[in-house]
Short mmCIF file of all heavy atoms in Angstrom, two decimals:
data_model
loop_
_atom_site.label_atom_id
_atom_site.label_comp_id
_atom_site.label_asym_id
_atom_site.label_seq_id
_atom_site.Cartn_x
_atom_site.Cartn_y
_atom_site.Cartn_z
N PRO A 1157 -26.26 -10.93 19.38
CA PRO A 1157 -26.48 -9.46 19.37
C PRO A 1157 -25.94 -8.78 20.62
O PRO A 1157 -25.80 -9.39 21.67
CB PRO A 1157 -28.00 -9.34 19.32
CG PRO A 1157 -28.50 -10.60 19.92
CD PRO A 1157 -27.52 -11.67 19.54
N VAL A 1158 -25.67 -7.50 20.48
CA VAL A 1158 -25.25 -6.70 21.62
C VAL A 1158 -26.46 -6.41 22.52
O VAL A 1158 -26.36 -6.45 23.74
CB VAL A 1158 -24.63 -5.36 21.15
CG1 VAL A 1158 -24.31 -4.48 22.34
CG2 VAL A 1158 -23.38 -5.63 20.33
N VAL A 1159 -27.57 -6.10 21.90
CA VAL A 1159 -28.77 -5.75 22.67
C VAL A 1159 -29.46 -7.02 23.13
O VAL A 1159 -29.74 -7.91 22.32
CB VAL A 1159 -29.73 -4.90 21.80
CG1 VAL A 1159 -30.95 -4.52 22.62
CG2 VAL A 1159 -29.02 -3.67 21.28
N THR A 1160 -29.70 -7.10 24.43
CA THR A 1160 -30.37 -8.29 24.95
C THR A 1160 -31.50 -7.86 25.88
O THR A 1160 -31.42 -6.82 26.53
CB THR A 1160 -29.40 -9.19 25.73
OG1 THR A 1160 -28.70 -8.39 26.69
CG2 THR A 1160 -28.39 -9.84 24.82
N PRO A 1161 -32.56 -8.67 25.96
CA PRO A 1161 -33.68 -8.31 26.84
C PRO A 1161 -33.27 -8.34 28.30
O PRO A 1161 -32.52 -9.20 28.73
CB PRO A 1161 -34.72 -9.38 26.53
CG PRO A 1161 -33.98 -10.49 25.89
CD PRO A 1161 -32.79 -9.89 25.21
N ALA A 1162 -33.76 -7.39 29.06
CA ALA A 1162 -33.41 -7.29 30.48
C ALA A 1162 -33.80 -8.55 31.23
O ALA A 1162 -33.15 -8.94 32.20
CB ALA A 1162 -34.13 -6.08 31.11
N GLU A 1163 -34.84 -9.22 30.75
CA GLU A 1163 -35.36 -10.37 31.47
C GLU A 1163 -34.29 -11.43 31.72
O GLU A 1163 -34.21 -12.01 32.80
CB GLU A 1163 -36.51 -10.99 30.68
CG GLU A 1163 -37.29 -12.00 31.50
CD GLU A 1163 -37.92 -13.08 30.64
OE1 GLU A 1163 -38.12 -12.83 29.43
OE2 GLU A 1163 -38.17 -14.17 31.19
N LEU A 1164 -33.44 -11.66 30.71
CA LEU A 1164 -32.40 -12.68 30.88
C LEU A 1164 -31.49 -12.33 32.04
O LEU A 1164 -31.06 -13.19 32.80
CB LEU A 1164 -31.57 -12.82 29.60
CG LEU A 1164 -32.25 -13.48 28.39
CD1 LEU A 1164 -31.32 -13.45 27.19
CD2 LEU A 1164 -32.64 -14.90 28.73
N TRP A 1165 -31.19 -11.05 32.16
CA TRP A 1165 -30.28 -10.60 33.21
C TRP A 1165 -30.96 -10.61 34.57
O TRP A 1165 -30.31 -10.80 35.60
CB TRP A 1165 -29.74 -9.21 32.87
CG TRP A 1165 -28.92 -9.22 31.61
CD1 TRP A 1165 -29.39 -9.28 30.34
CD2 TRP A 1165 -27.51 -9.25 31.51
NE1 TRP A 1165 -28.37 -9.33 29.44
CE2 TRP A 1165 -27.18 -9.30 30.14
CE3 TRP A 1165 -26.47 -9.21 32.44
CZ2 TRP A 1165 -25.87 -9.32 29.67
CZ3 TRP A 1165 -25.16 -9.22 31.98
CH2 TRP A 1165 -24.86 -9.28 30.60
N GLN A 1166 -32.25 -10.36 34.54
CA GLN A 1166 -32.98 -10.43 35.81
C GLN A 1166 -33.00 -11.86 36.32
O GLN A 1166 -32.89 -12.11 37.52
CB GLN A 1166 -34.42 -9.89 35.61
CG GLN A 1166 -34.42 -8.37 35.46
CD GLN A 1166 -35.66 -7.83 34.77
OE1 GLN A 1166 -36.43 -8.59 34.16
NE2 GLN A 1166 -35.85 -6.53 34.83
N ARG A 1167 -33.12 -12.79 35.39
CA ARG A 1167 -33.18 -14.20 35.80
C ARG A 1167 -31.89 -14.67 36.45
O ARG A 1167 -31.89 -15.49 37.37
CB ARG A 1167 -33.48 -15.08 34.57
CG ARG A 1167 -34.86 -14.84 34.02
CD ARG A 1167 -35.80 -15.99 34.28
NE ARG A 1167 -35.48 -17.17 33.51
CZ ARG A 1167 -35.98 -17.43 32.31
NH1 ARG A 1167 -36.79 -16.59 31.72
NH2 ARG A 1167 -35.67 -18.54 31.68
N THR A 1168 -30.74 -14.18 35.96
CA THR A 1168 -29.46 -14.63 36.53
C THR A 1168 -29.01 -13.74 37.69
O THR A 1168 -27.97 -13.97 38.28
CB THR A 1168 -28.34 -14.62 35.47
OG1 THR A 1168 -28.22 -13.30 34.94
CG2 THR A 1168 -28.64 -15.59 34.35
N GLY A 1169 -29.77 -12.72 37.98
CA GLY A 1169 -29.42 -11.87 39.10
C GLY A 1169 -28.32 -10.88 38.77
O GLY A 1169 -27.74 -10.25 39.66
N ARG A 1170 -28.02 -10.70 37.48
CA ARG A 1170 -26.94 -9.77 37.13
C ARG A 1170 -27.48 -8.42 36.67
O ARG A 1170 -26.70 -7.57 36.24
CB ARG A 1170 -26.06 -10.38 36.04
CG ARG A 1170 -25.33 -11.63 36.50
CD ARG A 1170 -23.97 -11.79 35.84
NE ARG A 1170 -24.02 -11.88 34.39
CZ ARG A 1170 -22.94 -11.82 33.62
NH1 ARG A 1170 -21.74 -11.67 34.16
NH2 ARG A 1170 -23.05 -11.92 32.31
N TYR A 1171 -28.81 -8.24 36.76
CA TYR A 1171 -29.39 -7.00 36.26
C TYR A 1171 -28.96 -5.79 37.08
O TYR A 1171 -28.97 -4.67 36.61
CB TYR A 1171 -30.91 -7.10 36.25
CG TYR A 1171 -31.58 -5.99 35.46
CD1 TYR A 1171 -31.37 -5.86 34.10
CD2 TYR A 1171 -32.41 -5.07 36.08
CE1 TYR A 1171 -31.96 -4.86 33.38
CE2 TYR A 1171 -33.02 -4.05 35.38
CZ TYR A 1171 -32.79 -3.95 34.01
OH TYR A 1171 -33.38 -2.94 33.28
N ASP A 1172 -28.55 -6.03 38.31
CA ASP A 1172 -28.21 -4.91 39.19
C ASP A 1172 -26.73 -4.57 39.22
O ASP A 1172 -26.30 -3.75 40.02
CB ASP A 1172 -28.72 -5.20 40.61
CG ASP A 1172 -30.23 -5.34 40.62
OD1 ASP A 1172 -30.89 -4.53 39.93
OD2 ASP A 1172 -30.75 -6.25 41.26
N ILE A 1173 -25.94 -5.23 38.38
CA ILE A 1173 -24.52 -4.88 38.31
C ILE A 1173 -24.41 -3.43 37.84
O ILE A 1173 -24.99 -3.06 36.81
CB ILE A 1173 -23.78 -5.81 37.32
CG1 ILE A 1173 -23.73 -7.23 37.89
CG2 ILE A 1173 -22.37 -5.30 37.05
CD1 ILE A 1173 -23.13 -8.25 36.93
N PRO A 1174 -23.70 -2.59 38.59
CA PRO A 1174 -23.66 -1.16 38.24
C PRO A 1174 -23.08 -0.89 36.85
O PRO A 1174 -23.49 0.07 36.18
CB PRO A 1174 -22.74 -0.56 39.31
CG PRO A 1174 -22.69 -1.56 40.41
CD PRO A 1174 -22.94 -2.90 39.80
N GLU A 1175 -22.15 -1.74 36.41
CA GLU A 1175 -21.52 -1.52 35.11
C GLU A 1175 -22.43 -1.86 33.94
O GLU A 1175 -22.10 -1.59 32.79
CB GLU A 1175 -20.23 -2.35 34.98
CG GLU A 1175 -19.05 -1.81 35.76
CD GLU A 1175 -19.17 -2.08 37.24
OE1 GLU A 1175 -19.93 -3.01 37.64
OE2 GLU A 1175 -18.54 -1.36 38.03
N LEU A 1176 -23.55 -2.50 34.24
CA LEU A 1176 -24.45 -2.92 33.16
C LEU A 1176 -25.09 -1.69 32.52
O LEU A 1176 -25.67 -0.85 33.20
CB LEU A 1176 -25.53 -3.84 33.74
CG LEU A 1176 -26.27 -4.73 32.76
CD1 LEU A 1176 -25.31 -5.68 32.06
CD2 LEU A 1176 -27.36 -5.51 33.48
N TRP A 1177 -24.97 -1.60 31.20
CA TRP A 1177 -25.50 -0.44 30.48
C TRP A 1177 -26.94 -0.75 30.08
O TRP A 1177 -27.18 -1.58 29.23
CB TRP A 1177 -24.64 -0.17 29.24
CG TRP A 1177 -24.79 1.21 28.72
CD1 TRP A 1177 -25.94 1.83 28.37
CD2 TRP A 1177 -23.73 2.16 28.52
NE1 TRP A 1177 -25.66 3.11 27.95
CE2 TRP A 1177 -24.33 3.33 28.02
CE3 TRP A 1177 -22.34 2.13 28.69
CZ2 TRP A 1177 -23.58 4.47 27.70
CZ3 TRP A 1177 -21.61 3.26 28.36
CH2 TRP A 1177 -22.21 4.41 27.88
N LYS A 1178 -27.86 -0.05 30.70
CA LYS A 1178 -29.28 -0.33 30.49
C LYS A 1178 -29.88 0.66 29.50
O LYS A 1178 -29.58 1.84 29.54
CB LYS A 1178 -30.03 -0.28 31.83
CG LYS A 1178 -29.48 -1.28 32.84
CD LYS A 1178 -30.15 -1.11 34.20
CE LYS A 1178 -29.60 -2.10 35.20
NZ LYS A 1178 -28.28 -1.70 35.74
N VAL A 1179 -30.73 0.15 28.62
CA VAL A 1179 -31.39 1.00 27.62
C VAL A 1179 -32.86 0.59 27.51
O VAL A 1179 -33.26 -0.44 28.04
CB VAL A 1179 -30.71 0.88 26.24
CG1 VAL A 1179 -29.31 1.45 26.27
CG2 VAL A 1179 -30.68 -0.57 25.77
N GLN A 1180 -33.62 1.41 26.82
CA GLN A 1180 -35.02 1.09 26.59
C GLN A 1180 -35.34 1.25 25.11
O GLN A 1180 -34.72 2.06 24.43
CB GLN A 1180 -35.92 2.06 27.37
CG GLN A 1180 -35.79 1.91 28.87
CD GLN A 1180 -36.79 2.80 29.60
OE1 GLN A 1180 -37.24 3.81 29.07
NE2 GLN A 1180 -37.14 2.39 30.80
N ASP A 1181 -36.33 0.49 24.66
CA ASP A 1181 -36.77 0.73 23.29
C ASP A 1181 -37.88 1.78 23.31
O ASP A 1181 -38.18 2.35 24.36
CB ASP A 1181 -37.19 -0.59 22.61
CG ASP A 1181 -38.50 -1.14 23.19
OD1 ASP A 1181 -39.12 -0.47 24.05
OD2 ASP A 1181 -38.88 -2.25 22.79
N ARG A 1182 -38.50 2.05 22.19
CA ARG A 1182 -39.43 3.18 22.11
C ARG A 1182 -40.70 2.96 22.94
O ARG A 1182 -41.41 3.88 23.26
CB ARG A 1182 -39.78 3.47 20.66
CG ARG A 1182 -40.60 2.38 20.01
CD ARG A 1182 -41.05 2.80 18.65
NE ARG A 1182 -39.97 2.72 17.67
CZ ARG A 1182 -40.01 3.36 16.51
NH1 ARG A 1182 -41.00 4.14 16.21
NH2 ARG A 1182 -39.02 3.21 15.65
N LEU A 1183 -40.95 1.68 23.25
CA LEU A 1183 -42.11 1.41 24.10
C LEU A 1183 -41.67 1.28 25.56
O LEU A 1183 -42.40 0.78 26.39
CB LEU A 1183 -42.81 0.13 23.64
CG LEU A 1183 -43.43 0.24 22.23
CD1 LEU A 1183 -44.04 -1.08 21.82
CD2 LEU A 1183 -44.48 1.36 22.20
N GLU A 1184 -40.44 1.72 25.80
CA GLU A 1184 -39.87 1.73 27.15
C GLU A 1184 -39.70 0.35 27.73
O GLU A 1184 -39.72 0.16 28.93
CB GLU A 1184 -40.72 2.62 28.09
CG GLU A 1184 -40.72 4.07 27.62
CD GLU A 1184 -41.47 5.01 28.56
OE1 GLU A 1184 -42.05 4.51 29.54
OE2 GLU A 1184 -41.43 6.22 28.31
N ARG A 1185 -39.56 -0.64 26.86
CA ARG A 1185 -39.23 -1.98 27.34
C ARG A 1185 -37.75 -2.01 27.67
O ARG A 1185 -36.94 -1.44 26.93
CB ARG A 1185 -39.53 -3.03 26.26
CG ARG A 1185 -41.02 -3.30 26.12
CD ARG A 1185 -41.29 -4.27 25.00
NE ARG A 1185 -40.90 -3.72 23.72
CZ ARG A 1185 -41.66 -3.84 22.60
NH1 ARG A 1185 -42.79 -4.48 22.64
NH2 ARG A 1185 -41.24 -3.32 21.47
N PRO A 1186 -37.38 -2.64 28.78
CA PRO A 1186 -35.99 -2.61 29.22
C PRO A 1186 -35.10 -3.59 28.46
O PRO A 1186 -35.45 -4.76 28.29
CB PRO A 1186 -36.10 -2.99 30.70
CG PRO A 1186 -37.32 -3.83 30.78
CD PRO A 1186 -38.27 -3.32 29.74
N PHE A 1187 -33.97 -3.09 28.03
CA PHE A 1187 -32.95 -3.93 27.40
C PHE A 1187 -31.60 -3.63 28.04
O PHE A 1187 -31.45 -2.67 28.80
CB PHE A 1187 -32.88 -3.67 25.89
CG PHE A 1187 -34.04 -4.23 25.14
CD1 PHE A 1187 -35.24 -3.51 25.03
CD2 PHE A 1187 -33.97 -5.49 24.56
CE1 PHE A 1187 -36.33 -4.04 24.35
CE2 PHE A 1187 -35.05 -6.03 23.87
CZ PHE A 1187 -36.23 -5.30 23.77
N VAL A 1188 -30.63 -4.45 27.67
CA VAL A 1188 -29.29 -4.33 28.22
C VAL A 1188 -28.31 -4.38 27.06
O VAL A 1188 -28.50 -5.17 26.13
CB VAL A 1188 -29.03 -5.49 29.21
CG1 VAL A 1188 -27.55 -5.69 29.41
CG2 VAL A 1188 -29.76 -5.26 30.52
N LEU A 1189 -27.30 -3.52 27.08
CA LEU A 1189 -26.20 -3.67 26.14
C LEU A 1189 -25.24 -4.65 26.80
O LEU A 1189 -24.69 -4.37 27.86
CB LEU A 1189 -25.52 -2.33 25.88
CG LEU A 1189 -26.44 -1.23 25.33
CD1 LEU A 1189 -25.65 0.06 25.10
CD2 LEU A 1189 -27.09 -1.68 24.03
N ALA A 1190 -25.07 -5.79 26.17
CA ALA A 1190 -24.39 -6.90 26.84
C ALA A 1190 -22.95 -6.56 27.19
O ALA A 1190 -22.19 -6.03 26.38
CB ALA A 1190 -24.42 -8.14 25.96
N MET A 1191 -22.56 -6.83 28.43
CA MET A 1191 -21.17 -6.67 28.85
C MET A 1191 -20.41 -7.98 28.62
O MET A 1191 -19.19 -8.02 28.68
CB MET A 1191 -21.11 -6.26 30.32
CG MET A 1191 -21.79 -7.22 31.27
SD MET A 1191 -21.88 -6.53 32.93
CE MET A 1191 -20.17 -6.53 33.36
N THR A 1192 -21.17 -9.02 28.34
CA THR A 1192 -20.64 -10.34 28.06
C THR A 1192 -21.87 -11.17 27.67
O THR A 1192 -22.98 -10.67 27.77
CB THR A 1192 -19.91 -10.90 29.30
OG1 THR A 1192 -19.47 -12.21 29.02
CG2 THR A 1192 -20.80 -10.93 30.51
N HIS A 1193 -21.67 -12.39 27.19
CA HIS A 1193 -22.83 -13.06 26.60
C HIS A 1193 -23.26 -14.37 27.24
O HIS A 1193 -23.88 -15.20 26.59
CB HIS A 1193 -22.60 -13.23 25.09
CG HIS A 1193 -22.83 -11.97 24.32
ND1 HIS A 1193 -21.90 -10.94 24.30
CD2 HIS A 1193 -23.88 -11.54 23.58
CE1 HIS A 1193 -22.38 -9.95 23.56
NE2 HIS A 1193 -23.57 -10.28 23.12
N GLU A 1194 -22.94 -14.56 28.50
CA GLU A 1194 -23.37 -15.78 29.17
C GLU A 1194 -24.89 -15.98 29.09
O GLU A 1194 -25.38 -17.07 28.80
CB GLU A 1194 -22.95 -15.80 30.65
CG GLU A 1194 -21.53 -16.20 30.91
CD GLU A 1194 -20.56 -15.08 30.64
OE1 GLU A 1194 -21.01 -13.93 30.39
OE2 GLU A 1194 -19.35 -15.34 30.64
N GLU A 1195 -25.63 -14.91 29.38
CA GLU A 1195 -27.08 -15.03 29.39
C GLU A 1195 -27.60 -15.47 28.01
O GLU A 1195 -28.44 -16.36 27.90
CB GLU A 1195 -27.72 -13.69 29.78
CG GLU A 1195 -27.79 -13.42 31.28
CD GLU A 1195 -26.45 -12.99 31.86
OE1 GLU A 1195 -25.47 -12.85 31.11
OE2 GLU A 1195 -26.39 -12.81 33.09
N THR A 1196 -27.10 -14.79 26.99
CA THR A 1196 -27.60 -15.08 25.66
C THR A 1196 -27.22 -16.47 25.19
O THR A 1196 -28.05 -17.21 24.65
CB THR A 1196 -27.05 -14.04 24.65
OG1 THR A 1196 -27.23 -12.75 25.20
CG2 THR A 1196 -27.77 -14.15 23.33
N VAL A 1197 -25.98 -16.85 25.43
CA VAL A 1197 -25.54 -18.16 24.94
C VAL A 1197 -26.26 -19.27 25.72
O VAL A 1197 -26.56 -20.33 25.17
CB VAL A 1197 -24.01 -18.30 25.00
CG1 VAL A 1197 -23.52 -18.67 26.38
CG2 VAL A 1197 -23.51 -19.29 23.95
N THR A 1198 -26.56 -19.01 26.97
CA THR A 1198 -27.27 -20.01 27.75
C THR A 1198 -28.72 -20.14 27.27
O THR A 1198 -29.30 -21.22 27.25
CB THR A 1198 -27.24 -19.65 29.26
OG1 THR A 1198 -25.88 -19.40 29.64
CG2 THR A 1198 -27.78 -20.78 30.10
N PHE A 1199 -29.26 -19.01 26.86
CA PHE A 1199 -30.59 -19.00 26.24
C PHE A 1199 -30.61 -19.99 25.06
O PHE A 1199 -31.53 -20.78 24.89
CB PHE A 1199 -30.89 -17.57 25.79
CG PHE A 1199 -32.06 -17.40 24.87
CD1 PHE A 1199 -33.35 -17.34 25.37
CD2 PHE A 1199 -31.85 -17.28 23.50
CE1 PHE A 1199 -34.43 -17.16 24.52
CE2 PHE A 1199 -32.93 -17.10 22.64
CZ PHE A 1199 -34.22 -17.05 23.15
N HIS A 1200 -29.54 -19.96 24.26
CA HIS A 1200 -29.47 -20.88 23.13
C HIS A 1200 -29.16 -22.31 23.57
O HIS A 1200 -29.59 -23.27 22.94
CB HIS A 1200 -28.40 -20.40 22.14
CG HIS A 1200 -28.76 -19.10 21.52
ND1 HIS A 1200 -29.90 -18.91 20.78
CD2 HIS A 1200 -28.14 -17.90 21.55
CE1 HIS A 1200 -29.96 -17.65 20.38
NE2 HIS A 1200 -28.90 -17.01 20.85
N ALA A 1201 -28.41 -22.41 24.66
CA ALA A 1201 -28.02 -23.74 25.13
C ALA A 1201 -29.21 -24.55 25.59
O ALA A 1201 -29.11 -25.75 25.82
CB ALA A 1201 -26.99 -23.62 26.25
N ARG A 1202 -30.36 -23.90 25.74
CA ARG A 1202 -31.56 -24.65 26.12
C ARG A 1202 -31.98 -25.63 25.02
O ARG A 1202 -32.79 -26.50 25.25
CB ARG A 1202 -32.70 -23.67 26.44
CG ARG A 1202 -32.39 -22.88 27.70
CD ARG A 1202 -33.55 -22.07 28.16
NE ARG A 1202 -33.92 -21.04 27.20
CZ ARG A 1202 -34.72 -20.02 27.48
NH1 ARG A 1202 -35.21 -19.88 28.70
NH2 ARG A 1202 -35.01 -19.13 26.57
N GLU A 1203 -31.41 -25.43 23.85
CA GLU A 1203 -31.71 -26.39 22.77
C GLU A 1203 -30.83 -27.62 22.83
O GLU A 1203 -30.96 -28.52 22.02
CB GLU A 1203 -31.58 -25.69 21.41
CG GLU A 1203 -32.60 -24.56 21.29
CD GLU A 1203 -32.75 -24.04 19.88
OE1 GLU A 1203 -32.95 -24.86 18.96
OE2 GLU A 1203 -32.64 -22.81 19.70
N LEU A 1204 -29.89 -27.64 23.77
CA LEU A 1204 -29.10 -28.85 24.00
C LEU A 1204 -29.90 -29.68 25.01
O LEU A 1204 -29.87 -29.42 26.20
CB LEU A 1204 -27.72 -28.49 24.56
CG LEU A 1204 -26.84 -27.62 23.67
CD1 LEU A 1204 -25.63 -27.11 24.42
CD2 LEU A 1204 -26.42 -28.38 22.41
N ARG A 1205 -30.62 -30.71 24.50
CA ARG A 1205 -31.59 -31.39 25.36
C ARG A 1205 -31.09 -32.73 25.88
O ARG A 1205 -31.59 -33.24 26.87
CB ARG A 1205 -32.88 -31.65 24.56
CG ARG A 1205 -33.54 -30.37 24.10
CD ARG A 1205 -34.78 -30.09 24.92
NE ARG A 1205 -35.30 -28.76 24.64
CZ ARG A 1205 -35.91 -28.42 23.51
NH1 ARG A 1205 -36.08 -29.29 22.55
NH2 ARG A 1205 -36.37 -27.19 23.36
N SER A 1206 -30.12 -33.30 25.15
CA SER A 1206 -29.70 -34.66 25.48
C SER A 1206 -28.21 -34.71 25.76
O SER A 1206 -27.44 -33.90 25.26
CB SER A 1206 -30.02 -35.58 24.30
OG SER A 1206 -29.21 -36.74 24.32
N TYR A 1207 -27.81 -35.70 26.56
CA TYR A 1207 -26.38 -35.90 26.77
C TYR A 1207 -25.68 -36.16 25.45
O TYR A 1207 -24.48 -35.94 25.32
CB TYR A 1207 -26.15 -37.05 27.76
CG TYR A 1207 -26.47 -38.43 27.23
CD1 TYR A 1207 -25.49 -39.21 26.63
CD2 TYR A 1207 -27.77 -38.93 27.30
CE1 TYR A 1207 -25.78 -40.47 26.12
CE2 TYR A 1207 -28.08 -40.17 26.80
CZ TYR A 1207 -27.08 -40.95 26.20
OH TYR A 1207 -27.38 -42.17 25.70
N ARG A 1208 -26.45 -36.62 24.46
CA ARG A 1208 -25.85 -36.88 23.14
C ARG A 1208 -25.43 -35.56 22.45
O ARG A 1208 -24.61 -35.57 21.57
CB ARG A 1208 -26.84 -37.61 22.23
CG ARG A 1208 -27.12 -39.03 22.66
CD ARG A 1208 -27.88 -39.77 21.57
NE ARG A 1208 -28.28 -41.09 22.00
CZ ARG A 1208 -29.43 -41.35 22.63
NH1 ARG A 1208 -30.29 -40.39 22.88
NH2 ARG A 1208 -29.72 -42.58 23.01
N ASP A 1209 -26.04 -34.46 22.88
CA ASP A 1209 -25.72 -33.15 22.28
C ASP A 1209 -24.45 -32.53 22.88
O ASP A 1209 -23.98 -31.50 22.43
CB ASP A 1209 -26.87 -32.16 22.49
CG ASP A 1209 -28.14 -32.62 21.81
OD1 ASP A 1209 -28.03 -33.34 20.79
OD2 ASP A 1209 -29.23 -32.28 22.31
N LEU A 1210 -23.94 -33.15 23.94
CA LEU A 1210 -22.82 -32.57 24.66
C LEU A 1210 -21.55 -33.37 24.43
O LEU A 1210 -21.64 -34.58 24.14
CB LEU A 1210 -23.13 -32.52 26.17
CG LEU A 1210 -24.37 -31.69 26.52
CD1 LEU A 1210 -24.69 -31.81 28.00
CD2 LEU A 1210 -24.15 -30.22 26.15
N PRO A 1211 -20.37 -32.80 24.57
CA PRO A 1211 -20.12 -31.38 24.86
C PRO A 1211 -20.26 -30.50 23.62
O PRO A 1211 -20.30 -31.01 22.50
CB PRO A 1211 -18.67 -31.39 25.35
CG PRO A 1211 -18.04 -32.52 24.59
CD PRO A 1211 -19.11 -33.57 24.47
N GLN A 1212 -20.34 -29.20 23.87
CA GLN A 1212 -20.35 -28.21 22.79
C GLN A 1212 -19.46 -27.05 23.19
O GLN A 1212 -19.34 -26.74 24.38
CB GLN A 1212 -21.77 -27.67 22.59
CG GLN A 1212 -22.70 -28.58 21.81
CD GLN A 1212 -22.38 -28.62 20.33
OE1 GLN A 1212 -21.63 -27.79 19.82
NE2 GLN A 1212 -22.93 -29.61 19.64
N MET A 1213 -18.86 -26.42 22.18
CA MET A 1213 -18.12 -25.17 22.46
C MET A 1213 -18.47 -24.16 21.38
O MET A 1213 -18.39 -24.46 20.19
CB MET A 1213 -16.62 -25.43 22.48
CG MET A 1213 -16.15 -26.15 23.74
SD MET A 1213 -14.39 -25.90 24.05
CE MET A 1213 -13.69 -26.80 22.68
N LEU A 1214 -18.87 -22.97 21.82
CA LEU A 1214 -19.28 -21.92 20.90
C LEU A 1214 -18.51 -20.65 21.23
O LEU A 1214 -18.16 -20.41 22.39
CB LEU A 1214 -20.78 -21.64 21.06
CG LEU A 1214 -21.71 -22.83 20.85
CD1 LEU A 1214 -23.12 -22.48 21.32
CD2 LEU A 1214 -21.72 -23.23 19.37
#
Side-chain angles (χ1 to χ4, degrees):
Chain A
V1158 175
V1159 181
T1160 50
E1163 192 209 338
L1164 288 176
W1165 296 77
Q1166 287 158 346
R1167 294 251 290 269
T1168 57
R1170 295 212 300 170
Y1171 193 63
D1172 298 318
I1173 292 174
E1175 284 76 21
L1176 200 61
W1177 200 305
K1178 300 174 180 78
V1179 293
Q1180 294 185 335
D1181 70 5
R1182 67 173 77 199
L1183 295 177
E1184 298 183 356
R1185 285 177 296 223
F1187 287 85
V1188 160
L1189 302 180
M1191 57 189 292
T1192 177
H1193 282 77
E1194 279 78 9
E1195 277 77 2
T1196 312
V1197 82
T1198 309
F1199 167 83
H1200 295 300
R1202 292 189 296 195
E1203 297 193 51
L1204 299 169
R1205 298 254 171 71
S1206 157
Y1207 71 93
R1208 291 191 186 88
D1209 298 331
L1210 300 174
Q1212 281 287 346
M1213 286 202 292
L1214 303 168

